[in-house]
Amino acid sequence: MAYGFEAKNDSGKVIINDTIENLHFIGKATRGSSDSGQSTISGYSGSNSTLDGRCIWTYTITSAGTPVAFIKPVDYARWHGIIKQSVSSTTWTFQVMVSGTSTSNPPEIYCFVNADSIAVPSGETHGMLVFKSDGSSKTFDSRRQPLAITGGASAVPPTDPTNSSGLPGTTTGHAWNYATNDHDFRSSNRYTAYSDSNINTSNTMFSCPSIAQAVYKRQMHGYKCSDFTWWKSGCQAHNSTAAWWVMYRGAYRLRAGNFDAGWTNYAGGYQFSSSYESAGWFGGSTNNYSTGSMPYTAKTINLQSNAYIVADSSRYN
Amino acid sequence: MIREKVFINGGATYKENRVFEGNSVDNYVTDLDTDPIFTFYQNTDNGKKEYRSSTEFRSWLLGYDSVHTLDYNNVCPDITLWLGKSYFLNGYTEEDCYFRVDDSVLLNKVATYYGLPYPITSEVETILDNTPETISAYEKDSEHIVVGSIKYLNGSPTHLKFYCIYKDEDNLQKYEHGKVYANQGQVVEEGYKYLNTSTDSLVFKTNKQTYRATTMDNGGDPITQWEGVITATSKIEKYESSKAIRMIVGNLSTGSNYEDRDRCPSVNLWVGRSWIEEEEETLYFYAENSTMVDAVASYYSLPQPYDATLKQQLNDNPESMRFKSYDINNAGEGNFVPLNIAGIVFKNNVATEFKLYENRRWNE
């Protein structure tokens, strides 16, 4: 640094100077509507139909700069993740997914931006400002509650989001019309815990992108051959296909002394098809069968370590 | 009912394939990947018998060229189209070479060339020369192919075989017979499930409509994967399964049980509906016995659909006329229940007709 101000922490890392853009509290985002559901596999009634469920809240905030959002859970037992962030003019919108279907205790979203994107409050005439080399734009302004990071590391959820051991797959040889799901698609036990002594369940908030996605499917093919003297085949084939699928997004949970990286189901569905060689009020259909279309090929994508940072929300209340 | 008969030695039966008369299919197994025409193989005491169509036959029937070639033993120059071969890959030295039997003249030449007995009687010969479509195995553009074959053992011809594939009408063989009864036993619709022997595909048609398959990919139903095309008007009759039958069959929680319709309380299971746009709607239910059917008729002030004979059949032998057997009681394989179907036709929300459906074998 050729000139100006520079502050370092105990580790010798720069925390304020003329080039590093510090984040400053701009306010809490305004909570809007919610969409709650997905506590069961849609369209299916039978064993292993239960999912964790999720509630998606929409928040908005006006900001000239790009805000960094922190989730401050109200119910720390639930999993949280920002699954979408968008902007229209200066209005920023966040979709925050929370595990479970209850619309009680929605989280609060604390937003931080660079110093130049916040208007100087009237009457605030004292404080410390650090300018860039141009002498006009700021990197730090003590009058606007700079972000104080209390901890952080990197985290990644486990590959398999489902509670049942082993990935769900496709099996054949089931009885015709067999449609009983044997896979537990819930995610409550599927997470990676990261020890972090800076985390408590009173005031801690976190920022971490929800990037990992997964879609998994359990599929069963049923078959029955009715004895029937048939031209060259001797069999009236009966086919059925049952398929359960669930889509997940990466989500996080704060526990005292721990940052947990896991999953929450975003959507799920069930497809079933039963047919045999006949049609109309003769029964069945042709020997064709299908299960509709899966939204994605079953897999986990974007699974990588993501930086998370935690801070004390009480500083900004 | 004889569907296929193979003659040798002046009319002797080499084999015949009967329907509903015991297992006489000789262990044929469908394999759609094995050949574009001969989509099957046969498990025999001597091993797996493979079937391959010839390049020329594929071109004739399917209209495409393939690089596949077959070798034939001692080719008779009079044969105009070789159809293919059957053989064993395990070394067993039996094979059949299939050819088109143009007429009795050709068949005689083949018999002479290979020194084998002429396979058919004069009666069958008359059919071959005059109405070959009644015994042919394949058809394209109204041209019919009657099949013959030369059977070889250890490289020597042993049999000249002649195949008759019998049809009920056109290229269709009847398999299931459906009737719809109303007004105390009157047949108001009747049809069959057919096998088209040329295309090896199924045909479902009645005197009022033809059915065609739908799929879920096209927004179809998970169970009632068909629709009817009304012959007289070309209108479409669409079908859907009820929520209750979907739950029974596939643990599906989707669909409707038509609570907003005028439903007779005596019915325990509504199984679906069909509708013709701006014309009529039919609600179908599980006709468990005559007590239920009579109660439904009384509720809608409509005549019972059956006569005394059919009524007794519904009570005493429901399996003989059922639409399909399903595991209605969730009791597992072997405990399926014969699901007999009745339907109430509504026009402008008024019940106008009470129907009972019967599915039986082709000749019943």
Side-chain angles (χ1 to χ4, degrees), chain B residues 49-83:
Chain B
K49 192 175 184 180
E50 307 269 1
Y51 292 80
R52 292 292 177 273
S53 55
S54 69
T55 304
E56 298 77 13
F57 187 35
R58 293 177 187 181
S59 177
W60 183 89
L61 185 65
L62 305 175
Y64 72 82
D65 296 326
S66 64
V67 297
H68 177 72
T69 58
L70 290 171
D71 296 325
Y72 296 95
N73 299 314
N74 188 15
V75 176
C76 174
D78 297 303
I79 290 176
T80 56
L81 180 63
W82 290 96
L83 305 178

Side-chain angles (χ1 to χ4, degrees), chain B residues 21-160:
Chain B
E21 294 177 16
N23 182 17
S24 58
V25 294
D26 298 329
N27 296 318
Y28 285 103
V29 179
T30 299
D31 184 352
L32 299 178
D33 298 325
T34 192
D35 187 273
I37 298 174
F38 300 150
T39 54
F40 52 87
Y41 60 87
Q42 186 184 19
N43 288 320
T44 76
D45 292 340
N46 300 312
K48 182 180 177 182
K49 192 175 184 180
E50 307 269 1
Y51 292 80
R52 292 292 177 273
S53 55
S54 69
T55 304
E56 298 77 13
F57 187 35
R58 293 177 187 181
S59 177
W60 183 89
L61 185 65
L62 305 175
Y64 72 82
D65 296 326
S66 64
V67 297
H68 177 72
T69 58
L70 290 171
D71 296 325
Y72 296 95
N73 299 314
N74 188 15
V75 176
C76 174
D78 297 303
I79 290 176
T80 56
L81 180 63
W82 290 96
L83 305 178
K85 292 180 66 172
S86 63
Y87 50 87
F88 292 82
L89 292 175
N90 61 5
Y92 182 67
T93 56
E94 177 191 303
E95 60 182 24
D96 273 271
C97 297
Y98 302 95
F99 61 95
R100 176 171 62 190
V101 183
D102 300 351
D103 50 31
S104 60
V105 175
L106 173 89
L107 194 60
N108 268 301
K109 290 180 178 176
V110 173
T112 302
Y113 182 85
Y114 290 104
L116 294 170
Y118 189 66
I120 56 178
T121 62
S122 58
E123 181 182 0
V124 177
E125 186 179 271
T126 301
I127 296 173
L128 169 64
D129 289 335
N130 295 284
T131 54
E133 66 276 7
T134 62
I135 57 171
S136 63
Y138 300 96
E139 180 201 6
K140 183 184 178 186
D141 300 331
S142 299
E143 185 180 352
H144 292 262
I145 284 186
V146 178
V147 176
S149 84
I150 302 134
K151 181 177 181 176
Y152 288 85
L153 279 174
N154 300 319
S156 300
T158 60
H159 296 84
L160 175 57

Side-chain angles (χ1 to χ4, degrees), chain A residues 225-248:
Chain A
C225 174
S226 288
D227 289 339
F228 185 71
T229 307
W230 188 254
W231 168 243
K232 299 189 182 80
S233 67
C235 175
Q236 186 183 31
H238 296 60
N239 287 290
S240 65
T241 301
W244 302 260
W245 63 268
V246 177
M247 178 183 179
Y248 304 88

Side-chain angles (χ1 to χ4, degrees), chain A residues 43-45 177 179 228-233 236 238 270-274 276-281 283-286, chain B residues 18 20 22 28 30 40 178 192-193 195 200 202 204 211 213 216 222 225-226 247 249-253 323-324 359:
Chain A
Y44 172 67
S45 179
N177 292 335
F228 185 71
T229 307
W230 188 254
W231 168 243
K232 299 189 182 80
S233 67
Q236 186 183 31
H238 296 60
Y270 173 54
Q271 298 280 358
F272 177 82
S273 175
S274 173
Y276 59 99
E277 296 160 320
S278 204
W281 41 260
S285 69
T286 67
Chain B
R18 293 173 179 267
F20 300 124
Y28 285 103
T30 299
F40 52 87
Y192 292 90
K193 168 183 172 179
L195 174 71
D200 225 10
L202 300 173
F204 313 92
Y211 294 95
M216 291 185 69
Q225 297 180 8
W226 69 81
M247 180 62 72
V249 175
N251 285 332
L252 279 158
S253 61
F323 160 79
K324 191 67 183 173
N359 292 316

